Amino acid sequence: QVRLVESGGGLVQAGGSLRLSCAASGRTFNGQAMGWFRQAPGKEREFVGAITGSSRTRYAGSVKGRFTISRDNTENTVYLQMNTLRPEDTAVYYCAARLGAALTTTTRTYDYWGQGTQVTVSS
């Protein structure tokens, strides 16, 4: 059974930083792309960033330059380092994994999802 478990969310003031982790179990995703999405209340789930097995990355324009995705294939874990956080970054953040290798930005192209972790940025 494949599981993705996010951790690291919490409450932070604007301008602060958080680091989210996503630990995968049940299979390895070393060669597959993994992504981060977020969903704010009343809004659709949106793409934040993604990383290939070789650590090529892609980001949404709203987080580019502030967020960084990395992965540790030995630990089957993906990270999302979030700096200079803004109140509009407040959302539930979800980790996702694909069975394919290519970077994609749409929710329907990801096969596995975590349960989400809340990030709240106060002004």
Side-chain angles (χ1 to χ4, degrees):
Q1 181 183 0
V2 176
R3 291 188 67 203
L4 302 178
V5 179
E6 302 98 334
S7 60
L11 173 65
V12 64
Q13 288 188 330
S17 299
L18 282 174
R19 188 193 195 204
L20 305 183
S21 300
C22 172
S25 62
R27 65 159 290 161
T28 61
F29 292 96
N30 293 351
Q32 283 72 44
M34 297 187 72
W36 286 95
F37 291 76
R38 65 186 182 188
Q39 188 167 17
K43 295 188 176 181
E44 292 189 354
R45 193 169 298 188
E46 66 174 5
F47 173 75
V48 174
I51 186 168
T52 66
S54 59
S55 293
R56 186 167 62 91
T57 56
R58 182 174 179 181
Y59 299 94
S62 59
V63 307
K64 197 170 185 179
R66 300 188 297 123
F67 291 11
T68 303
I69 297 176
S70 60
R71 66 191 297 165
D72 182 342
N73 288 337
T74 64
E75 297 290 335
N76 216 20
T77 299
V78 174
Y79 303 96
L80 179 65
Q81 177 67 45
M82 305 185 293
N83 298 328
T84 320
L85 283 160
R86 305 166 180 168
E88 53 265 38
D89 294 319
T90 295
V92 177
Y93 282 70
Y94 297 90
C95 172
R98 300 192 67 225
L99 293 175
L103 277 177
T104 59
T105 64
T106 56
T107 58
R108 62 179 176 81
T109 60
Y110 285 80
D111 302 286
Y112 301 100
W113 291 85
Q115 82 290 348
T117 185
Q118 177 71 47
V119 171
T120 304
V121 184
S122 62
S123 57

